[in-house]
Structures are given as structure tokens and as C-alpha cells.
Amino acid sequence: MTHSDTDTLRAIQHTERERFIASHPRSMALARDAQQHYLFGVPLHWMRDWPSPATLFVAQAQGATLTCADGVGYADFCLGDTGAMFGHSPPALAHAIGEQAARGLTCMLPATNAAVVGGLLSKTFGLPMWQMALSASDANRFVLRWARAITARPQLLVFDGCYHGAVDDTLVDMDPLTGGTLPRASVLGQVHNHAAFTRVVPFNDLPALETALKQGDVACLLAEPALTNFGLVPPDTGFWEQARALCREHGALFVCDETHTVSTALGGYARAHRLDPDFMVVGKAVAGGLPCAVYGFTHDMAERMVQAKNAAPEGHSGIGTTLAGNALTLAVLQASLEHLHTAANYAKMLDLASVLEQGLRDRIAASGRPWTVTRLGARMELQFMSHTPRNAQDVRDHAQSELEAFTHLFMLNRGVLLTPFHSMMLVSPATTLNDVAQLLAVFDELLAALRALPARPATAPASRSA
Ligand SMILES: Cc1ncc(COP(=O)(O)O)c(C=O)c1O
């Protein structure tokens, strides 16, 4: 954008900020109160990553509707950044929580439904063996440990632009000049040199993947089937078939992080596209948003994991946390697998997501803006570039952080929530055609508000928060 475009955008963004302040007096007051006791004024500092002048405080979230402290209702397309992908507080989960809360929360012993839940996990996601964790970050960390333990190989392989949670080994970037591994500059308090043990290659780049694997020292490739945290970047046709074959050829395990791509289809992307992973991680929405993550693996992996554990001296494995697999989580996970992870729910989500995608595409085409929409099942992203990105560098090259922030606040001020980290929209079974119509009407207003800005591609890369 030119300087005058940027000035215009800042001026209209200023108006949006004033509008938020005027219409959210209660959130503004709560933000001031919370400032006294919380770092950055919020229980988790990411909650300040929304583009509003103060944090939106939530009074209630039900179905696909969120109501803020000021009584304003929002069509929620953020859905807790996937945690609430099946809608907020589904009745089946609320019931299971109530029932189990009266029968014990955590015992360091399996509840009587453990075997049933294991069976449901297998039926839903296709892998026979399972372990539990409290978050996808934890699950990924544990799987990396298992992968290194059973292969006796030190190296990890990830894609540039990946995000697998607060997992130190993966918080790295690719040096665009050398192809080497760089510490991610934004990570706080990092003293370990992950360049020594993590390789990074561009997504959709089979030759780079092969080069990284063929040294024969990679324990596993940890990957999302599509990048979802650095803009939505889908795999090229045939990419995974060949990537999977390369992993096998070079003795590296394939760990599929389905935490976000579970939005693709019932059972996740890997199941729908037969990626045949050695390990799979699912967090966030697996138990409808209650803190829970699971990792599944093949019988072959299970055998090797048992051997590794039995061969190790007595003591801490470095895998697991006290509350993982607790009775409350198991009860809720059972309800979630039985009532939320269903073909009927996915059919509803995918149908409505395609209506939203088409509505956005039609409007973009009519406006002449060089933007696109990329969709993966129930998840889609508005991208301020004319083509679907192929890798993280492509996203960096086209980033427009000010336009993105404006879009988010503009929509929030008109009752529509997008995911704060990028312009991601998720459709839940509770989302209605009215919610979609509301988003599209606000998108029309957004395009009208941006008419003063010329429809030209971005030139300046922008920083991202995560
Ligand atoms: C693909 C993926 N894996 C893992 C995580 C970590 O999830 P959590 O923050 O719940 O640990 C995230 C979080 O956004 C994610 O997107």
C-alpha cells in the first residue's frame, strides 16, 4: 500500500476503535479492573491479540453465539480458535460434566469408561492405540519424545511456518538464505539451540523434504496436513502421497497433528485422505473444548514404545502430566465422541461452510479485490492475496497486517467474530444460515468501506503474532 492508502486505512481504523469504545463501556471497565491483577490485563496474554482497543469480556457463549459483557451478541466464527468447533457448551457435554462432577474428578486411575472411550477414539480417528494429555502442546511434546526414543534418532523435521503449540523444538523458522534452522525470534526465554536438532523445510517442497530426510537421522516429520497457523496453506495434489513415501523410505516416522485439520471431515484430514500416519495428535475440539488432547498410534508403534519404556531405567519418563486422562475428561470425551464427532454434524458444517465460501468468493470477484478464500472442510480463510499460498514464505510476502486488523475490528463492531490470529472462519453445527448471511452482509459493508483504497496487491510484508 502507498503512504496515503495506509493513512486512509488508519483513519477508518481510528473510527472503528472509537466505535468499539463507545459501544462496550462494560468491557472497557472490566479491562481496567483486570489490569490490576493480570499481566497485560488478561488471564492469558494471547487474549490481548484481538484488534479491539480493549479486550472483549464474555458473559456467555452458547451454540455459535457469544454474548459480551455489554450484552452484544456475536455470530462466532472464531469458536475458541477451534476448541468450540462443535459449538459452545453443547448440551450433551454440559450434561456429562454435571453427571461426572458428582462422581469424582480425578483419581490417577482410569475410570470405568476408559475402554469404551479408547474404542470410540479408534472408531473415530482410525488408529488402534491411544494415550491422553491435557493440551495439544503436551501431546505433541510427548509424541516427539516417543519418536526419538523408539527410533534412537535425534532430529525432528517440521515445515516452515508450522505451529504445534508451546513445543520448544518446533518454535523455529527456516533461514530463507541458507535453508537452515533459525530460532523463532519472538520466542521468550529460549536458551537451547534447536537448530542442532530440528530441520525446517518449506511446505509443498518435496526435494527439500527428501534432502532433509536422506541424512538418515530424522526421528519424525511432525506436520499438519495443511498449514493452518500461518495462513491456510493446503497441500499440493499428490504432495502427501510422496511425502509419506519419502518418510517410509528414509525410516522417519510421520506424526500428523490434526488439532486444526480435524475440521476437514469426520476423523480428520489424515483419515479422509488416507495419509496413514504413525502417530496422530488431536486437541482442542476433541472433547468439545474441555482441556484434553489425545494421541493415537499404530500397533507397530505401540510395540516399540513398550520396548523403549521397558528398556529404560525406573523413573520419570518425561511423558505425561498428573491430570491427563482424568475421570471428568474421560466422561466428556466420551460424550464428545458419541454426540459431536458425527457424520451428521460434519455434513451440516461442510454444507454451510461451502455456502459461506461461495458467498465470499462472489463478493470478492464483484469487488475486483485481489483476494482469495481458501477452505479446508469447515474452516476457511480470507486471504489478502490473489492466489492460494503454497508455503509460509508466500504468506509472508503477501501479509497485510493493518488491513487484517481493520477487517477484524470492523466485523467485531458489527457482531461477527473472526479468529484473531488471521482471518480464519470456522463453521460449527450450531452455526445458522442467518449467521452466514450476517457475515456476508458485514463483508459487503467492509468492501464498501474500503472503496477509498485501490484494489492492488500488498507490497510490504508484515509481522505476525502467535
Ligand atoms: C496444529 C496445532 N497443534 C497444536 C496446537 C496447540 O494447542 P494448545 O494450545 O491447545 O496446546 C495448536 C494451537 O493452536 C495448533 O494449531
Side-chain angles (χ1 to χ4, degrees), residues 19 23 31 56 60 170 245 255 264 288 305 330 344-345 393 402 458 463:
R19 178 172 171 151
S23 53
L56 193 69
Q60 184 170 323
T170 64
V255 181
T264 309
M305 290 155 82
L330 275 179
N345 271 348
Q393 193 55 44
E402 291 198 36
S463 62

Side-chain angles (χ1 to χ4, degrees), residues 81 135-137 140 163-165 224 229 257 259-260 284:
D81 193 19
S135 69
S137 299
N140 278 321
Y163 185 70
H164 298 287
E224 289 187 276
N229 285 293
D257 182 352
T259 299
H260 279 176
K284 296 196 182 188

Side-chain angles (χ1 to χ4, degrees), residues 94-374:
H95 179 74
I97 290 169
E99 290 256 294
Q100 186 60 42
R103 288 203 303 259
L105 301 179
T106 191
C107 312
M108 187 55 83
L109 286 167
T112 50
N113 67 341
V116 170
V117 174
L120 287 167
L121 285 168
S122 290
K123 183 168 162 245
T124 307
F125 299 108
L127 281 165
M129 303 296 285
W130 294 88
Q131 286 285 275
M132 295 184 62
L134 286 178
S135 69
S137 299
D138 274 353
N140 278 321
R141 257 196 304 271
F142 301 155
V143 171
L144 293 184
R145 235 177 230 290
W146 282 118
R148 280 171 160 152
I150 66 181
T151 60
R153 290 177 169 196
Q155 292 287 335
L156 303 177
L157 186 54
V158 295
F159 288 118
D160 186 30
C162 73
Y163 185 70
H164 298 287
V167 183
D168 279 348
D169 305 73
T170 64
L171 291 169
V172 291
D173 289 315
M174 197 187 75
D175 183 338
L177 298 177
T178 65
T181 305
L182 291 174
R184 194 164 286 178
S186 55
V187 175
L188 298 173
Q190 181 57 272
V191 295
H192 299 289
N193 176 20
H194 291 296
F197 294 110
T198 305
R199 285 188 199 129
V200 193
V201 293
F203 194 60
N204 278 324
D205 188 337
L206 289 166
L209 188 69
E210 182 164 25
T211 304
L213 286 168
K214 91 178 160 197
Q215 298 174 48
D217 54 359
V218 172
C220 69
L221 167 66
L222 168 62
E224 289 187 276
L227 298 186
T228 68
N229 285 293
F230 204 84
L232 187 51
V233 182
D236 289 348
T237 308
F239 172 73
W240 274 115
E241 256 170 46
Q242 294 189 57
R244 186 68 188 97
L246 283 171
C247 287
R248 282 217 174 85
E249 183 185 337
H250 297 286
L253 305 176
F254 171 41
V255 181
C256 189
D257 182 352
E258 291 267 21
T259 299
H260 279 176
T261 51
V262 71
S263 66
T264 309
L266 178 60
Y269 187 105
R271 184 154 216 202
H273 295 266
R274 299 195 175 86
L275 300 195
D276 195 19
D278 295 299
F279 285 89
M280 168 194 290
V281 169
V282 197
K284 296 196 182 188
V286 72
L290 196 88
C292 170
V294 295
Y295 56 100
F297 36 94
T298 61
H299 284 301
D300 179 34
M301 293 300 115
E303 238 175 74
R304 293 168 69 181
M305 290 155 82
V306 170
Q307 280 167 16
K309 178 77 182 96
N310 289 344
E314 284 276 306
H316 298 138
S317 61
I319 296 171
T321 55
T322 309
L323 299 179
N326 67 69
L328 179 66
T329 305
L330 275 179
V332 177
L333 183 56
Q334 177 172 350
S336 172
L337 294 167
E338 284 174 348
H339 300 285
L340 306 183
H341 293 258
T342 64
N345 271 348
Y346 274 90
K348 233 170 136 185
M349 289 152 73
L350 269 51
D351 271 359
L352 208 50
S354 80
V355 173
L356 178 55
E357 178 193 18
Q358 196 54 52
L360 290 169
R361 281 185 179 281
D362 291 347
R363 284 161 175 78
I364 291 168
S367 74
R369 294 262 153 206
W371 301 348
T372 193
V373 177
T374 300

